[in-house]
Amino acid sequence: MTDRTAALADAAIHLVATRGMRGLTHRAVDAEAGVPLGSTSAYFRTRKALVEGVVRRLAELDAAEVEAAGLTAPRDPDELAEGAAHVLDRWMSATRERTLARYACLLEATHHPELRDVLAHGEVSRAQARAVLTAWGAPEPERQSRELVAFLDGLLFDRLVGAGALHAPDPGTPESRAELTQAVRSALRAVLGR
């Protein structure tokens, strides 16, 4: 993304997180980004293009965090558990808005078949998990990677907006990261059969 489209997408992410999908309009993004009226529609011609731009930006930012946490080539399950817990905790605290926007876009895609393409961005995390599990000798890395990513997605959703949010330690705390690390370790043991 260019700096301009990234700034517009960032403004759109904020709108989706704070106002929901109904608050995502070209005019609202223009106002949020502080750009002249019509700027957003010059870069994202349709609502579909705007939603796709948001999802593309979310995927770009998430990929950078996953890479920075060393999750694309962890040395062992403990390193993966600790890195994944750090990223999940960050997605629930410092970058909570992005996570809320991601879920809103995914839900929007279930109601609008023309947006189903946005679901393809989730394949990146599955491919990364498959590569790691293959390197560790997992017997069925294709299936096991899907299960692992589904578990992590479910854990994040539960802790952010589900009943888990009622009982889990506050996101952004050492207690939250420790509990997430243990949950990811348990999932890895189950997936790897250890």
Side-chain angles (χ1 to χ4, degrees):
M1 284 192 151
T2 66
D3 289 346
R4 179 67 153 210
T5 56
L8 293 171
D10 289 343
I13 289 167
H14 175 74
L15 288 170
V16 171
T18 58
R19 299 184 193 173
M21 291 304 288
R22 290 180 187 225
L24 182 65
T25 65
H26 288 86
R27 277 181 176 269
V29 175
D30 288 341
E32 183 65 33
V35 297
L37 197 61
S39 297
T40 301
S41 60
Y43 290 94
F44 303 104
R45 304 298 268 165
T46 63
R47 178 173 172 76
K48 178 183 182 226
L50 183 55
V51 172
E52 289 171 343
V54 166
V55 173
R56 220 175 20 258
R57 178 66 172 156
L58 289 167
E60 179 181 280
L61 293 168
D62 289 351
E65 285 190 345
V66 166
E67 179 78 29
L71 296 179
T72 56
R75 292 183 304 256
D76 56 49
D78 282 336
E79 185 177 54
L80 177 59
E82 290 171 13
H86 172 78
V87 170
L88 291 172
D89 187 66
R90 182 167 167 73
W91 288 351
M92 289 186 285
S93 57
T95 61
R96 183 176 192 273
E97 280 193 359
R98 282 193 354 228
T99 308
L100 293 172
R102 180 184 317 106
Y103 286 133
C105 289
L106 292 172
L107 287 171
E108 184 82 354
T110 66
H111 301 294
H112 299 280
E114 71 276 10
L115 294 173
R116 297 285 292 171
D117 292 348
V118 302
L119 301 177
H121 289 284
E123 290 302 315
V124 172
S125 56
R126 284 171 170 69
Q128 290 170 334
R130 186 171 49 252
V132 168
L133 294 179
T134 299
W136 290 347
E140 297 179 65
E142 181 68 38
R143 177 186 57 78
Q144 292 167 307
S145 62
R146 289 192 310 266
E147 291 171 353
L148 180 60
V149 171
F151 171 80
L152 295 175
D153 282 343
L155 180 61
L156 178 61
F157 186 86
D158 181 61
R159 294 285 178 89
L160 187 69
V161 298
L166 300 174
H167 309 289
D170 290 336
T173 64
E175 295 80 14
S176 174
R177 287 185 295 280
E179 196 170 289
L180 289 166
T181 299
Q182 185 56 46
V184 176
R185 273 193 186 112
S186 295
L188 283 168
R189 278 196 295 271
V191 165
L192 295 169
R194 296 179 186 165

